[in-house]
């Protein structure tokens, strides 16, 4: 019996497409640095289409993230919440992506993108209930601290496994396309994550199957104590995307307008069948990796100081003031209003107290089960006996 041909694709066909993907223009986009606002908040290039209302909303979204970080870091130190990883300095990428997305799109965060959930509709009180793991928390405090999620806002609960977001984002995007939805997925990864196998798998599968996904790498220069130069010998992180045949862009990660312009284009391209894109946001982790980390042991303090001048909030604020879209005085009033909002929400959620012990048995199975009912009753009986 004659053997069936395994493929109907002519050999050499895909190679031609790969060669095309490596044009000089593509390479320049993946190794240059796209900016709209310079470090002093001066405009260098054409503005993306954003109304004054959009701009103010984006500024508020970034500021809310910053203020929440400050409160929650203090609360972590005081033992009022568990693990907390902050995003100070990285707010531009988070809010640019959130603003570029439609309500039905999915956000797949890495470790520091919780502010996007708030921006896309998660109420502050619900967010804080999750952070505290209190009685109002839908997950009854069982979720890893700091990993917020929202089904309604399509914000996927963060995975602690570095770069797992890449195949998760690709899978979600591919599934959405198979279901005939118009949804696009935006997935985040850190510079450390780009050395993981999941990074390759996620990018490759998305590229081959043209999944509607946009990957954003927050290149904050450090993966705990590993500096970027020990992470990769590539000319940039974005250039890695070209090897997979994915349009890739290196952008100033502290310039919310440049990030928005690039991510919005990428989201539109994905939605209209153009497949995935990869965006490297060049930024800086202003704080420690996490509560058990002391960056002064491995990082030159002068470096951190130099990056303070590139603060994404400061830069955006200077430009907004110059445009009279949001004056410095209005920015101060906004800060005060949001801070009060946060303080009131924290007080209300702390007052809710921890989940009941009996809730340990809730939601374990979709349907009520006599076995769980028995276990709950037995557990409560033993607790009572130990206490009496
Ligand atoms: C697969 C895996 N390996 C190692 C870790 C431990 N770990 C947690 S965060 C982290 C560094 C991540 O760096 P990066 O991806 O650059 O993200 P950043 O923390 O800078 O936001 C490491 C190694 C992990 N969580 N998962």
């Amino acid at each position: 019996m004659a053997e069936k041909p395994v493929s109907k694709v002519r050999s050499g066909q895909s190679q031609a497409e790969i060669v095309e993907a490596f044009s000089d223009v593509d390479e320049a986009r993946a190794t240059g640095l796209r900016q709209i606002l310079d470090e002093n908040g001066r405009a260098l290039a054409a503005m993306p289409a954003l109304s004054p209302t959009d701009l103010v909303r984006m500024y508020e979204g970034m500021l809310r993230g910053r203020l929440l970080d400050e409160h929650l870091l203090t609360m972590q130190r005081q033992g009022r919440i568990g693990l907390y990883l902050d995003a100070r300095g990285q707010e531009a990428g988070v809010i640019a992506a959130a603003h570029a997305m439609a309500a039905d799109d999915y956000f797949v965060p890495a470790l520091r993108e919780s502010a996007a959930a708030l921006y896309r509709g998660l109420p502050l009180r619900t967010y804080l209930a999750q952070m505290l793991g209190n009685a109002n928390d839908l997950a009854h405090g069982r979720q890893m601290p700091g990993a917020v999620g929202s089904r309604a806002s399509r914000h996927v609960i963060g995975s602690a496994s570095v770069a797992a977001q890449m195949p998760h984002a690709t899978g979600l995007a591919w599934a959405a396309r198979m279901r005939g939805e118009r949804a696009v997925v935006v997935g985040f990864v850190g510079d450390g994550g780009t050395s993981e196998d999941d990074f390759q798998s996620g990018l490759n599968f998305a590229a081959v199957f043209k999944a509607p996904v946009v990957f954003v790498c927050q290149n904050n220069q450090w993966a705990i104590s590993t500096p970027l130069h020990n992470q990769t010998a590539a000319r940039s992180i974005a250039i890695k995307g070209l090897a997979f045949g994915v349009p890739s862009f290196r952008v100033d990660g502290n310039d919310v307008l440049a990030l928005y312009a690039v991510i919005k284009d990428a989201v539109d391209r994905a939605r209209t069948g153009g497949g995935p894109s990869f965006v490297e946001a060049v930024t800086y982790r202003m704080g420690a990796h996490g509560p058990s980390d002391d960056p002064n042991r491995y990082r030159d303090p002068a470096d951190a100081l130099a990056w303070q001048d590139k603060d994404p909030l400061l830069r955006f604020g200077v430009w907004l003031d110059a445009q009279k879209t949001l004056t410095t005085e209005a920015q101060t009033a906004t800060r005060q209003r949001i801070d009060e909002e946060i303080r009131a929400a924290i007080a209300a959620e702390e007052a809710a107290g921890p989940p009941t012990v009996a809730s340990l048995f809730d939601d374990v199975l979709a349907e009520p089960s006599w076995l769980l009912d028995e276990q709950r009753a037995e557990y409560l009986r033993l607790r009572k006996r130990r206490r009496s």
Side-chain angles (χ1 to χ4, degrees):
M1 203 168 81
E3 261 187 33
K4 276 191 188 162
V6 287
S7 164
K8 288 184 182 162
V9 176
R10 276 181 293 114
S11 60
Q13 184 177 340
S14 48
Q15 184 61 23
E17 284 163 11
I18 290 168
V19 171
E20 203 180 308
F22 276 90
S23 76
D24 289 350
V25 175
D26 290 334
E27 196 174 322
R29 282 192 192 125
T31 53
L33 189 74
R34 175 85 181 268
Q35 279 186 317
I36 288 185
L37 294 184
D38 72 9
E39 286 164 20
N40 300 313
R42 277 187 301 251
L44 303 168
M47 287 294 146
L50 288 166
S51 70
T53 313
D54 287 332
L55 292 165
V56 170
R57 197 171 159 245
M58 289 168 84
Y59 180 81
E60 286 195 13
M62 289 169 66
L63 186 58
R64 187 169 284 106
R66 176 71 59 92
L67 294 175
L68 264 169
D69 273 351
E70 286 169 5
H71 279 285
L72 292 171
L73 280 168
T74 306
M75 286 170 69
Q76 198 283 331
R77 280 320 199 210
Q78 294 169 337
R80 290 153 67 191
I81 58 166
L83 177 67
Y84 186 71
L85 302 183
D86 78 290
R88 285 170 304 157
Q90 302 181 200
E91 297 90 347
V94 178
I95 297 303
H99 194 80
M101 295 166 71
D104 286 347
D105 294 343
Y106 295 90
F107 195 108
V108 183
L111 303 175
R112 307 178 194 278
E113 286 80 26
S114 311
L118 288 171
Y119 197 82
R120 301 183 68 235
L122 180 68
L124 181 59
R125 290 272 306 262
T126 315
Y127 174 97
L128 286 166
Q130 293 191 21
M131 285 288 170
L132 287 156
N134 70 6
N136 296 334
D137 174 18
L138 267 183
H140 309 301
R142 295 175 201 157
Q143 188 50 255
M144 193 174 118
V148 302
S150 165
R151 191 184 287 267
S153 302
R154 296 201 160 185
H155 188 93
V156 175
I157 290 176
S159 166
S161 183
V162 167
Q165 298 73 31
M166 299 284 296
H168 291 172
T170 297
L172 256 177
W174 200 42
R177 207 189 63 182
M178 287 171 90
R179 285 197 299 261
E181 290 178 19
R182 276 176 56 76
V184 167
V185 180
V186 178
F188 273 69
V189 69
D191 43 295
T194 63
S195 299
E196 289 283 343
D197 296 350
D198 275 353
F199 174 77
Q200 335 288 329
S201 325
L203 258 182
N204 191 55
F205 196 100
V208 171
F209 293 98
K210 284 203 174 301
V213 54
V214 179
F215 301 106
V216 181
C217 172
Q218 288 274 38
N219 172 9
N220 65 10
Q221 316 296 320
W222 293 92
I224 314 182
S225 55
T226 303
L228 186 66
H229 66 86
N230 283 350
Q231 196 64 251
T232 182
R235 278 173 61 199
S236 73
I237 283 182
I239 203 166
K240 295 185 186 194
L242 293 187
F244 292 88
V246 173
S248 301
F249 307 86
R250 187 166 182 268
V251 186
D252 185 329
N254 289 5
D255 177 354
V256 69
L257 298 177
L259 283 162
Y260 170 76
V262 172
I263 297 173
K264 180 69 169 63
D265 271 0
V267 166
D268 291 348
R269 192 164 44 247
R271 204 179 309 285
T272 49
S277 302
F278 180 47
V279 181
E280 173 188 355
V282 182
T283 181
Y284 191 74
R285 194 192 75 210
M286 279 179 156
H289 169 79
S292 54
D293 174 45
D294 175 7
N296 292 323
R297 295 180 64 171
Y298 55 81
R299 210 159 73 168
D300 183 351
D303 197 30
L305 269 179
W307 275 90
Q308 267 181 18
D309 294 338
K310 303 183 194 185
D311 185 326
L313 257 171
L314 208 66
R315 181 185 312 195
F316 193 28
V318 167
W319 181 78
L320 287 170
D321 179 57
Q323 301 303 301
K324 309 255 181 295
T325 308
L326 195 69
T327 60
T328 310
E329 296 73 44
Q331 287 172 30
T332 308
T334 306
R335 176 179 284 265
Q336 219 161 358
R337 170 171 56 77
I338 295 177
D339 197 59
E340 277 162 22
E341 216 177 83
I342 293 173
R343 282 174 193 276
I346 290 173
E349 285 307 319
E350 281 198 311
T356 62
V357 171
S359 73
L360 258 178
F361 297 86
D362 293 345
D363 308 324
V364 175
L365 300 171
E367 302 291 330
S369 140
W370 63 266
L371 193 61
L372 273 177
D373 289 345
E374 257 188 30
Q375 284 181 17
R376 181 193 289 110
E378 176 69 357
Y379 178 67
L380 293 176
R381 192 181 60 78
L382 285 173
R383 263 177 73 94
K384 208 165 150 191
R385 207 170 68 188
R386 264 190 58 199
R387 289 183 166 187
S388 58

